[in-house]
């Protein structure tokens, strides 16, 4: 993918939330920055990419999902010739050929082994195996259980571990499971460059892992998957909005239109943290808000130290075995 370190920054919310500065900072640090395109128009995507390219000349990913999928937006995304096209919440199918024809690497997110096999058969280049610890839309299988199964199922395709990774120990664990890298979201939410509100970042820093829950009533308030889409449920920090909706899904369904309007408005006006602040269980590992480049350096330094410690442990163990 043209990067120096095996870290992909997961696309976070909408571009109006994340902003371009985060993706640029991550890419400039040698990792892969990502930009979401959900609910953008083709003209807005072109403007987003223009601003991003003003900030970095390094590779980056443009992300789309099948919740929803807009063919005109897809045309606009691949016309921008990103180094990487990332896709989530649905099968890649006939999109792969068009992405390859545009000269881009196809990165596919999956939440099950079956989805991974289907993606490999469709010809994708890299698979991100996303565990249930993730923020945003995620499946039911943990990263620790999912990643090695996906690695075995799609070998020799490279696999990224996604979900439950927020420090260098997580990267080392992912590599031990057979992944070639990691996809990290929540840790980069709490970065200086991320455009979400300071209140959201502060909530992540102060949260425990138990403070994140699945938003069970989401089917009533967010656009449903389009054809080929996967049914998944997002993970969020607890809020009054989430707790009330989860407690009474029928009442949420009855107020679906009003709730949907409230959520979409909050995403655009910077108050998403008051309703559904999508956040993973790694919130419990996040203790500060730091510049993205510092985070990339910190992650790699910690991972290298962890791997060296494991190598030393293995060497010591082997030495003990030899001496009895």
């Amino acid at each position: 993918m043209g990067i120096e370190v095996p870290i992909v920054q997961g696309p976070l919310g909408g571009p109006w939330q994340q902003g371009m500065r985060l993706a640029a900072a991550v890419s400039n640090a040698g990792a892969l920055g990502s930009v979401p395109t959900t609910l953008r128009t083709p003209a807005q995507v072109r403007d987003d990419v223009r601003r991003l390219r003003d900030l970095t000349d390094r590779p980056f990913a443009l992300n789309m999902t099948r919740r929803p999928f807009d063919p005109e937006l897809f045309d606009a995304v691949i016309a921008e010739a990103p180094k990487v096209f990332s896709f989530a919440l649905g099968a890649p199918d006939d999109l792969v050929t068009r992405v390859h024809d545009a000269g881009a690497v196809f990165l596919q997110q999956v939440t099950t082994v079956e989805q991974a096999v289907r993606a490999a058969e469709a010809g994708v280049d890299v698979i991100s195996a996303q565990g249930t610890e993730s923020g945003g839309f995620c499946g039911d299988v943990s990263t620790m259980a999912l990643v090695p199964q996906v690695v075995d199922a799609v070998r020799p395709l490279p696999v990224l571990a996604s979900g439950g990774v927020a420090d260098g120990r997580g990267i080392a664990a992912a590599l031990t499971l057979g992944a070639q890298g990691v996809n990290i979201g929540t840790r980069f939410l709490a970065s200086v460059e991320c455009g979400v509100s300071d209140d959201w970042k502060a909530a992540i820093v102060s949260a425990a892992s138990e403070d994140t829950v699945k938003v069970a009533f989401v089917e009533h308030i967010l656009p449903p998957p389009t054809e080929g889409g996967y049914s998944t449920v997002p993970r969020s920090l607890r809020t009054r909005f989430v707790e009330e909706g989860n407690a009474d899904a029928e009442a949420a369904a009855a107020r679906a239109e009003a709730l949907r309007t409230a959520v979409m408005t909050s995403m655009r006006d910077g108050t998403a943290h008051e309703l559904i602040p999508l956040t993973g269980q790694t919130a419990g590992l996040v203790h500060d808000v730091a510049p993205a480049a510092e985070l990339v350096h910190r992650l790699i330094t910690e991972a290298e130290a962890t791997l060296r410690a494991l190598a030393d442990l293995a060497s010591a163990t082997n030495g003990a075995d030899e001496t009895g």
Side-chain angles (χ1 to χ4, degrees):
M1 295 190 290
I3 58 179
E4 299 169 6
V5 296
I7 297 173
V8 175
Q9 167 244 318
L12 303 171
W16 56 87
Q17 293 174 290
Q18 174 188 304
M20 300 300 113
R21 292 177 60 230
L22 173 60
V26 170
S27 289
N28 286 335
L32 187 73
S34 300
V35 175
T37 63
T38 303
L39 303 179
R40 299 297 265 178
T41 66
Q44 287 172 326
V45 166
R46 288 190 288 271
D47 185 58
D48 290 340
V49 173
R50 179 190 61 76
R51 288 186 287 117
L52 179 57
R53 285 187 167 135
D54 285 341
L55 297 170
T56 184
D57 59 1
R58 303 299 298 272
F60 58 84
L62 294 181
N63 173 263
M64 289 191 70
T65 75
R66 286 204 188 272
R67 192 175 186 132
F69 180 77
D70 181 344
E72 291 186 10
L73 183 61
F74 175 72
D75 291 342
V77 167
I78 61 172
E80 292 300 324
K83 178 68 176 181
V84 178
F85 172 83
S86 65
F87 196 60
L89 308 185
D93 296 340
D94 59 342
L95 302 179
V96 178
T97 298
R98 293 188 60 192
V99 168
H100 285 165
D101 287 346
V105 171
F106 200 118
L107 168 58
Q108 173 70 34
Q109 175 192 291
V110 303
T111 59
T112 69
V113 175
E114 186 277 331
Q115 291 172 11
V117 171
R118 181 173 175 179
E121 291 174 345
V124 306
D125 303 294
V126 183
I127 289 178
S128 178
Q130 184 195 39
T132 193
E133 301 94 325
S134 297
F137 287 86
C138 53
D140 299 316
V141 182
S142 74
T143 303
M144 183 70 76
L146 180 63
V147 169
Q149 293 184 73
V150 170
V151 167
D152 291 344
V154 304
R155 188 178 283 115
L157 279 186
V159 174
L160 301 174
S162 177
V165 180
D167 61 19
R169 294 171 297 179
I171 296 175
L175 298 178
T176 303
L177 293 174
Q180 280 70 52
V182 296
N183 181 90
I184 295 177
T186 298
R187 175 60 274 196
F188 285 117
L189 268 174
S191 66
V192 171
E193 292 86 354
C194 188
V196 303
S197 72
D198 290 341
D199 287 340
W200 189 345
K201 297 176 187 181
I204 292 171
V205 171
S206 63
S209 294
E210 298 88 340
D211 294 325
T212 69
V213 295
K214 291 290 191 75
V215 186
F217 66 103
V218 74
E219 64 185 272
H220 301 304
I221 57 174
L222 291 182
T226 46
E227 184 177 357
Y230 299 140
S231 294
T232 54
V233 176
R235 182 178 295 282
S236 166
L237 289 173
R238 295 178 188 272
T239 64
R240 180 178 178 181
F241 183 85
V242 169
E243 298 281 63
E244 290 179 351
N246 279 347
D248 194 343
E250 290 187 5
R255 300 180 56 225
E257 186 173 349
L259 296 179
R260 186 180 303 115
T261 298
V263 169
M264 297 308 298
T265 299
S266 74
M267 292 171 68
R268 291 188 169 91
D269 68 11
T271 59
H273 61 282
E274 297 176 0
L275 300 184
I276 308 180
L278 302 180
T279 303
Q281 290 182 339
T282 55
L285 289 167
V286 176
H287 307 301
D288 65 349
V289 177
E294 178 183 322
L295 291 176
V296 171
H297 176 74
R298 187 190 303 177
L299 288 160
I300 292 302
T301 300
E302 292 173 352
E304 290 174 342
T306 301
L307 292 170
R308 281 195 298 270
L310 291 173
D312 291 343
L313 176 62
S315 177
T317 301
N318 290 336
D321 289 343
E322 292 171 2
T323 59

